[in-house]
Amino acid sequence: MAVSLPADNVLTEFLSCSICLEEYNNTNTQPKLLACHHSFCVRCLEQLSAGRGSLLCPSCRTVSPLPGDGTASLPTDFHVERIRDLLNAQVQMDVAHGSSGDGNMVTQEYCLKHRNQVLFFFCLTCRVPICHNCTVLDHNRNEGHDVKDLEEAKTGYLAICRKKLLAIRDNLEAASGSLGKLNFKAQDLAVSKGNAVKKLHDTFGKAIDRLHLQRQQLEGGFHARYTEAIDRLEQQTVVGRACIKRLNESAEAVELALAGGKLADLVNASRAVEVLVPMETEDEATENLSASFLNFPVAVKEIGISFKPEAYRQHYMVQENNDTLVYINPPKNEVGIFIGNSHLTKAHSYFQIQIVARGESGYISVGLVPMNYKVNNQPGWQRGSVGYHADDGSVYNGCGTGWVEKQVFKCSEGDVMGCGIDPADFADPLGGERPSVVVYFTKNGKKVHSLVYRVDGNLFPAVGMHSNGEKARFVVNEASDMLALAVGKDATNRLQGNSFFVHATGPSITDPTPTLYNVFTPQQQRLMYMQQLGDQHRTLVYSEPRGYKVAVFIANAPLTPEHHYFEITVVSRGHRGCVTIGLVHAQYPEDRQPGWNDRSIGYHADDGELFYETGYGKHEREAAPCREGDVMGCGVYPADLAAIGPGQNQVVVYFTKNRQKVHTAVYTTDGTNLLPAVGMHSRGERARFVNP
């Protein structure tokens, strides 16, 4: 039968040192057992021994020898610790039954392994609460376990959890902001889709209206011709009925004459037959009407419905400023082809292109192809197509082997290649099957090839390319507006010059029309793995085939006090968005981004950070990454530029995003490392110098 002892009596009698009256614990007042089996705390025994090899028991005066290591090596009185654990268990049971002394409910947990042992400790090594027995058997400090008091461990984990909660809330707020942006993007997509669907409906509605009008016109024409033919048929029917009536009367008269056998009746009957008028049974109007009905499917097929996208089809080819075609880097070196959205007609029977760049091999071609022409084929390679190829100057007529009439007419950069059909060869849309036509090709306006080509359907203008760096531009002259048909755009926007524009002032600009500054000429600027395209060559395109080398543009002229700021627009961020703007020196490596090497500085769009003579970015406040459509700027204060003298000088370089300053840095310069530079580092990246 268990006896409940008063906790205070047990604590005084068994669980505290009889010398200092302090409660036993596992540290400085740990109970130590003497040879007479009396227990005292290790601290009191240390004081009583005073360094001697034995001591007298304070209770029974028995001499107890001490180990060589002193009182700390005396055996621990585990019975005392056991009593303490039992007492704590008893207190816990009393608390569980509502019998705590102060009336407050105290919750304690017990060890699952050691029955009735309260969990007073926590093993930081194993991250589990433990009892006193566990500290000796399973989680001994001597075996490397870091054991702490349960409340102390609880306090530590509370601090960790509070810090974790703050981090989670910060991430939750950031995630909520991102979700909001995604919702806005979804709304923008929905609006864009609605606008596209509306435009589609409007386009098809107009096309349907034109079809209805043409159907009504055809029906009206058919009805008028039908009415005219029916009137003639009715007239012929009246004549025919009169003839039949007279024939019946003549037949009766002849029969009577034959039956009577009188000579006078036979003579009258023969005269009646001779005066009969033959009935007409065919008419030209009915024949033409029947032909119109039979040719109705041809008429419907020839009704043109004109949609004006930039191209009917493009395969591994891109357009710059609507009139320039550029071969991009396809996998497996496939053919790039552009097919116009409108076929050649009598009014638009000829088109031309000018070779801007022949690229690696000069495989540029012009020709005519059917509507469903297979991509990855040059014009003239497949049946139903014809093409004139610049690399060998030959004509390809539906096969992979070229032929020439007299001599080869190869074309190079600057040459103009043309293709057309004699307008007189176009048939009437309602005239049935299309005849053979004469297709001709020109070089610099002079006819070099012609061939008879049997037309199986409409022919669409096509341009082919097949090696890196190839570029061609549509040409418009007085005799042809084929560009508008080919690209569906106004043909007045032409490429001019070769300039790199720099603003006269920076973000605090007040003049709405600053002057332009031509920083380089084509022979002086440096390009590596990058192409210049577009109006005045303001567009830079990453062109490294494998997509992992840095491409860099370096201007030939440095910034000056008059022209101290320039900007670019991120047109396309490509795979990684590694577009960079900055300042470098004339001998800067061609495979390094601005800011990566000595004497350079750069603002990188992908992470929005400032790179200053190192491969590690840094930022003053917050990173300012840039996306498509953002404008990145770089400048130096004019006063700093004007003060540059011999030797090393320090100037303040600033960078902007959409005309808002995001980074500044003190930049060391001798005046030679102030060349504007633009870097790229992934496929599809494209930027355009801002023209103020």
Side-chain angles (χ1 to χ4, degrees):
M1 179 177 178
V3 178
S4 178
L5 298 177
D8 293 340
N9 294 339
V10 174
L11 182 61
T12 303
E13 184 68 20
F14 299 101
L15 303 182
S16 61
C17 177
S18 59
I19 299 176
C20 63
L21 301 180
E22 290 189 13
E23 184 181 358
Y24 290 129
N25 59 28
N26 292 325
T27 57
N28 59 344
T29 60
Q30 188 176 25
K32 293 297 182 178
L33 191 63
L34 299 178
C36 58
H37 298 289
H38 288 112
S39 299
F40 304 92
C41 73
V42 65
R43 184 176 58 187
C44 292
L45 293 177
E46 183 69 27
Q47 295 175 357
L48 291 175
S49 65
R52 295 188 295 271
S54 63
L55 58 80
L56 291 176
C57 176
S59 296
C60 65
R61 311 303 292 175
T62 300
V63 178
S64 296
L66 295 178
D69 297 334
T71 57
S73 299
L74 288 172
T76 301
D77 192 352
F78 292 104
H79 296 288
V80 174
E81 295 186 351
R82 178 63 175 167
I83 294 173
R84 184 178 59 183
D85 292 341
L86 290 174
L87 181 61
N88 291 334
Q90 181 66 37
V91 173
Q92 179 60 30
M93 293 175 62
D94 294 341
V95 170
H97 289 83
S99 60
S100 61
D102 56 2
N104 295 324
M105 295 299 296
V106 180
T107 302
Q108 289 184 328
E109 298 180 0
Y110 293 89
C111 182
L112 298 177
K113 186 173 183 180
H114 304 101
R115 190 172 182 181
N116 295 329
Q117 291 295 307
V118 182
L119 301 174
F120 285 117
F121 305 97
F122 188 86
C123 180
L124 295 179
T125 305
C126 303
R127 296 186 179 182
V128 293
I130 58 177
C131 68
H132 183 273
N133 290 354
C134 292
T135 62
V136 178
L137 300 176
D138 303 318
H139 302 271
N140 197 306
R141 290 188 176 91
N142 296 331
E143 296 178 357
H145 291 268
D146 188 5
V147 179
K148 298 291 184 181
D149 184 75
L150 188 64
E151 291 299 324
E152 181 182 355
K154 180 179 178 181
T155 302
Y157 275 100
L158 283 174
I160 294 175
C161 291
R162 291 191 183 98
K163 185 177 180 181
K164 183 72 68 175
L165 180 60
L166 293 177
I168 291 175
R169 287 176 176 172
D170 291 341
N171 292 335
L172 180 61
E173 183 178 357
S176 300
S178 300
L179 182 61
K181 293 179 181 179
L182 291 177
N183 291 334
F184 283 127
K185 289 184 178 180
Q187 294 175 3
D188 292 341
L189 287 175
V191 172
S192 300
K193 175 193 172 185
N195 294 336
V197 171
K198 182 178 181 300
K199 187 175 181 179
L200 180 66
H201 289 173
D202 294 342
T203 302
F204 274 88
K206 294 178 181 178
I208 292 173
D209 291 341
R210 291 197 298 270
L211 284 174
H212 284 317
L213 178 61
Q214 295 193 25
R215 184 188 67 181
Q216 293 173 359
Q217 293 174 350
L218 287 173
E219 289 179 350
F222 289 154
H223 181 71
R225 300 177 72 176
Y226 170 78
T227 302
E228 180 183 357
I230 287 296
D231 290 342
R232 291 193 179 187
L233 290 176
E234 289 179 350
Q235 294 175 4
Q236 292 184 11
T237 300
V238 172
V239 174
R241 288 174 179 172
C243 290
I244 291 173
K245 181 178 180 182
R246 293 182 62 185
L247 286 172
N248 288 330
E249 293 175 351
S250 297
E252 292 178 358
V254 171
E255 290 176 353
L256 292 174
L258 290 174
K262 294 181 179 180
L263 180 59
D265 294 337
L266 293 173
V267 171
N268 291 332
S270 64
R271 290 176 180 175
V273 173
E274 289 178 356
V275 298
L276 288 178
V277 179
M279 181 182 65
E280 295 181 0
T281 58
E282 294 182 355
D283 184 81
E284 181 181 358
T286 59
E287 291 181 353
N288 292 336
L289 181 62
S290 299
S292 298
F293 289 154
L294 292 176
N295 290 330
F296 174 71
V298 177
V300 174
K301 184 177 180 181
E302 293 297 331
I303 294 176
I305 304 175
S306 178
F307 301 98
K308 294 291 184 181
E310 291 189 351
Y312 172 64
R313 279 186 297 173
Q314 288 181 207
H315 185 67
Y316 295 125
M317 193 178 292
V318 296
Q319 290 177 247
E320 294 291 341
N321 289 334
N322 301 323
D323 63 350
T324 301
L325 302 177
V326 180
Y327 179 81
I328 60 177
N329 301 301
K332 300 181 181 179
N333 195 29
E334 293 192 14
V335 172
I337 189 168
F338 172 98
I339 302 177
N341 72 297
S342 299
H343 59 81
L344 295 187
T345 64
K346 189 173 184 178
H348 306 290
S349 60
Y350 176 69
F351 73 100
Q352 295 181 106
I353 65 169
Q354 183 179 25
I355 300 177
V356 179
R358 70 184 307 274
E360 296 178 357
S361 304
Y363 294 144
I364 300 176
S365 62
V366 296
L368 303 175
V369 300
M371 175 181 291
N372 297 321
Y373 192 68
K374 294 181 179 179
V375 296
N376 194 26
N377 284 279
Q378 288 271 21
W381 280 7
Q382 293 291 316
R383 182 180 179 182
S385 68
V386 62
Y388 170 32
H389 292 216
D391 59 319
D392 56 10
S394 300
V395 170
Y396 289 72
N397 186 10
C399 64
T401 304
W403 59 272
V404 296
E405 293 178 334
K406 298 179 181 178
Q407 56 181 334
V408 174
F409 296 95
K410 298 181 180 180
C411 297
S412 187
E413 294 180 1
D415 288 334
V416 177
M417 305 173 66
C419 174
I421 298 176
D422 191 337
D425 287 343
F426 285 89
D428 186 350
L430 296 179
E433 184 179 1
R434 298 285 294 273
S436 297
V437 298
V438 175
V439 177
Y440 63 91
F441 297 97
T442 62
K443 175 183 177 181
N444 299 326
K446 182 179 179 181
K447 187 181 295 184
V448 293
H449 294 298
S450 61
L451 71 158
V452 178
Y453 185 77
R454 182 163 183 82
V455 179
D456 295 328
N458 293 323
L459 296 176
F460 292 78
V463 178
M465 299 181 183
H466 201 187
S467 70
N468 291 331
E470 293 176 351
K471 181 165 61 174
R473 180 173 58 235
F474 285 102
V475 177
V476 180
N477 54 32
E478 296 179 356
S480 169
D481 61 351
M482 193 59 220
L483 174 61
L485 292 175
V487 301
K489 297 290 184 180
D490 185 5
T492 59
N493 186 17
R494 305 301 307 280
L495 302 182
Q496 299 176 0
N498 188 2
S499 299
F500 166 31
F501 297 103
V502 176
H503 289 226
T505 57
S508 59
I509 182 173
T510 57
D511 184 4
T513 57
T515 59
L516 302 180
Y517 178 38
N518 188 355
V519 175
F520 68 92
T521 62
Q523 293 77 22
Q524 295 174 312
Q525 52 83 22
R526 290 173 56 198
L527 285 173
M528 183 66 177
Y529 299 126
M530 194 180 291
Q531 294 179 345
Q532 291 178 254
L533 305 172
D535 184 20
Q536 299 187 356
H537 296 269
R538 293 189 295 117
T539 301
L540 301 178
V541 179
Y542 181 86
S543 61
E544 200 279 313
R546 290 166 291 184
Y548 62 82
K549 289 188 177 181
V550 171
V552 66
F553 166 94
I554 303 176
N556 74 301
L559 297 183
T560 65
E562 293 77 20
H563 307 287
H564 55 84
Y565 177 74
F566 69 102
E567 288 180 331
I568 63 171
T569 299
V570 181
V571 179
S572 174
R573 67 187 308 272
H575 288 186
R576 297 193 298 270
C578 300
V579 180
T580 303
I581 186 173
L583 301 174
V584 301
H585 56 86
Q587 287 75 36
Y588 193 74
E590 297 175 335
D591 59 347
R592 303 291 290 173
Q593 287 272 29
W596 281 6
N597 282 35
D598 292 342
R599 303 176 64 206
S600 70
I601 190 170
Y603 168 32
H604 292 218
D606 58 331
D607 53 15
E609 296 188 351
L610 175 67
F611 287 71
Y612 185 3
E613 298 184 345
T614 179
Y616 301 95
K618 57 182 179 179
H619 52 270
E620 297 175 338
R621 307 176 186 87
E622 296 182 355
C626 297
R627 300 292 183 263
E628 293 179 359
D630 287 335
V631 178
M632 305 172 66
C634 173
V636 178
Y637 291 123
D640 291 347
L641 292 171
I644 293 178
Q648 299 298 321
N649 301 265
Q650 289 187 336
V651 298
V652 176
V653 179
Y654 60 89
F655 295 94
T656 62
K657 174 184 176 182
N658 299 325
R659 286 295 181 97
Q660 299 296 321
K661 189 182 297 181
V662 292
H663 294 299
T664 57
V666 177
Y667 185 55
T668 302
T669 177
D670 59 359
T672 62
N673 56 337
L674 295 173
L675 297 177
V678 177
M680 298 179 184
H681 200 188
S682 71
R683 290 183 179 178
E685 292 176 353
R686 181 173 301 183
R688 182 175 61 248
F689 288 107
V690 175
N691 181 358

